[in-house]
Amino acid sequence: MKGPDTVLVVGAGLAGSRVAETLRDEGFDGRVLVVGDESHPPYERPALSKEVLAGRRDPGSLVLRSVGRFDELEIELRTRTAAVRLEPGRAVLSDGSEVGWSALVLATGSAARRLPAPAPAGVHVVRTLEDALGLRRELGPGRRLAVAGAGLVGCEVATTASRLGADVTLIDRGLPLERLVGREGAELLAERHRAEGVTLRTGGAATGFTHGAGGRVSSVLLDDGGRVGCDAAVVSIGCRPSSELLGVHGGVPTDACGRTGLPAIYAAGDVALAPNPWTSRPASAGHWTAAAGLATAAARAVLGEHAPYEAPPSWWSDQAGLRLQFVGAPDGWATSEIDGGTTSFAVRYLDASGAVVAGLFANRAADYAALRRELARGLTAAAA
Ligand SMILES: Cc1cc2nc3c(=O)[nH]c(=O)nc-3n(C[C@H](O)[C@H](O)[C@H](O)COP(=O)(O)OP(=O)(O)OC[C@H]3O[C@@H](n4cnc5c(N)ncnc54)[C@H](O)[C@@H]3O)c2cc1C
């Protein structure tokens, strides 16, 4: 047998399931135990703020692999079970049991950030299936929804809710996705959001709430003195990697293979802060493709292989009738060039030498794929 006797994977999300499957794909025949604190087998989180909220996906269809598939691969999956304490070679679980491990992969993902102010009833975040279903019950024609934070999840929630007939206000200091795509791209997106009926409330950030009848939220308070009246609110101000089990906050530093530097302990997915040739400092992936890629690399590292994950960062998003796809360096651009209009466009980001280092594409899948290939080829050439 190659590798350790027992691999314990903590976290049954995308990264956890990818680690377990890769171990088997690579021929590992020892024990693989995946523990997850949610009540579901690993599922597709990206659909939560899109099809699930829109009512177009049945929750049962979100599972990444059926429980039968885990059985076939002899992967033990324990849902509704958290790891509560880690010790060398041993973990204590929330049901009081203990498991021994010879390698451990932390794949605990992230938790939605919340405002420091107390949140009354009617205030939501969207990280889990239950969160999305709870928010969906609040939406409908004429309902006033305030969305605090115009990042990926906030923008998706805002336009999905607007299409369900809700009267939506999206609150952020800047324009939709401005921190991710820069001013010019964000201006195009702002136009699309307005055309979808979303009111953009810029210039201030949410700080708290007022309580109305029955203790429910009645408005969101802003740091510029303003307030946005609402029947329900969503806080979408980013995520915090869930790394407390290893005694660190804000993510677990790893190499590009998910090795933590602690003996036989690896981290993968959103919880890991991994270096990438495209980013100035190690950062949480925060997106699907990198979470999965680092998980594959970590599983191989468990087996003693060296297969660093170094692909150009990328993400996608569906909002305001656009399939957005981004690839490349997430910052440090000198300038950008736009072609197209609000229903189909490309923003190419250039460095100081005039080389394209990233691109944002709206309803232009072929252009996105071409730049992705080009950037990956450039990286391979640079490494040769
Ligand atoms: C609403 C939403 C929409 C998204 N949309 C997109 C998108 O369009 N495109 C894109 O690229 N990315 C998107 N993402 C990001 C993508 O889903 C994440 O990057 C990916 O899910 C990360 O996988 P992960 O396995 O690292 O973490 P997670 O999927 O969060 O899984 C971690 C699991 O570990 C569990 N856990 C935590 N602590 C413990 C513990 N102590 N014991 C046991 N279990 C524990 C958690 O409850 C969770 O089930 C979206 C995310 C969200 C929330």
Side-chain angles (χ1 to χ4, degrees):
M1 182 182 77
K2 37 182 201 172
D5 300 336
T6 299
V7 181
L8 173 64
V9 181
V10 180
L14 165 67
S17 62
R18 188 62 64 95
V19 166
E21 285 183 85
T22 305
L23 287 169
R24 290 294 185 233
D25 288 348
E26 296 286 314
F28 177 63
D29 59 3
R31 183 180 184 205
V32 180
L33 170 62
V34 182
V35 295
D37 61 1
E38 292 191 68
S39 50
H40 318 280
Y43 60 91
E44 258 178 69
R45 228 169 271 284
L48 300 180
S49 45
K50 309 174 181 71
E51 298 97 321
V52 173
L53 197 58
R56 293 198 309 271
R57 279 284 291 276
D58 163 35
S61 73
L62 301 179
V63 289
L64 292 175
R65 296 286 177 267
S66 65
V67 171
R69 179 71 185 140
F70 284 108
D71 289 345
E72 259 170 52
L73 292 172
E74 297 187 27
I75 294 168
E76 296 170 49
L77 173 66
R78 282 199 218 164
T79 54
R80 300 174 198 268
T81 308
V84 292
R85 201 170 71 242
L86 299 180
E87 291 167 13
R90 212 170 69 96
V92 180
L93 307 182
S94 53
D95 60 8
S97 65
E98 287 187 8
V99 286
W101 51 266
S102 37
L104 180 129
V105 185
L106 196 73
T108 43
S110 301
R113 285 184 56 216
R114 294 166 193 265
L115 292 174
V123 175
H124 300 258
V125 294
V126 184
R127 182 78 201 174
T128 65
L129 177 56
E130 286 70 23
D131 292 339
L133 296 175
L135 175 60
R136 176 154 172 80
R137 285 192 287 274
E138 296 262 23
L139 301 178
R143 295 279 290 170
R144 294 172 310 151
L145 179 72
V147 180
L152 288 167
V153 171
C155 287
E156 290 178 354
V157 166
T159 56
T160 304
S162 182
R163 286 187 172 198
L164 291 170
D167 177 1
V168 182
T169 302
L170 182 56
I171 302 165
D172 200 297
R173 280 192 213 292
L175 295 173
L177 301 189
E178 187 170 343
R179 277 185 298 273
L180 286 176
V181 306
R183 186 72 188 183
E184 284 88 357
E187 277 168 359
L188 287 169
L189 292 175
E191 224 175 293
R192 287 291 311 175
H193 276 259
R194 290 192 189 101
E196 290 278 317
V198 174
T199 301
L200 301 181
R201 170 62 166 87
T202 56
T207 53
F209 311 94
T210 58
H211 301 218
R216 276 188 62 91
V217 63
S218 54
S219 69
V220 175
L221 300 171
L222 276 66
D223 60 3
D224 60 7
R227 70 169 62 192
V228 173
C230 61
D231 304 310
V234 175
V235 176
S236 47
I237 54 172
C239 308
R240 193 177 30 76
S242 305
S243 54
E244 290 74 15
L245 266 181
L246 283 186
V248 291
H249 296 279
V252 182
T254 67
D255 67 6
C257 295
R259 301 184 192 102
T260 63
L262 298 167
I265 300 187
Y266 305 78
D270 283 0
V271 73
L273 307 178
N276 181 293
W278 297 88
T279 55
S280 48
R281 59 190 165 82
S284 165
H287 305 297
W288 185 269
T289 311
L294 189 63
T296 303
R300 291 185 173 149
V302 168
L303 302 178
E305 296 165 27
H306 181 80
Y309 180 72
E310 293 180 330
S314 65
W315 50 260
W316 80 91
S317 175
D318 295 325
Q319 55 182 273
L322 300 173
R323 161 51 64 111
L324 297 177
Q325 291 169 294
F326 180 96
V327 63
D331 51 30
W333 323 305
T335 166
S336 61
E337 291 172 353
I338 297 182
D339 78 81
T342 51
T343 53
S344 161
F345 62 84
V347 185
R348 291 185 175 78
Y349 304 87
L350 287 70
D351 68 10
S353 74
V356 176
V357 291
L360 169 71
F361 300 91
N363 296 345
R364 291 205 185 180
D367 290 348
Y368 162 75
L371 181 62
R372 193 178 166 148
R373 276 195 303 274
E374 199 181 305
L375 293 177
R377 257 201 315 270
L379 188 66
T380 314

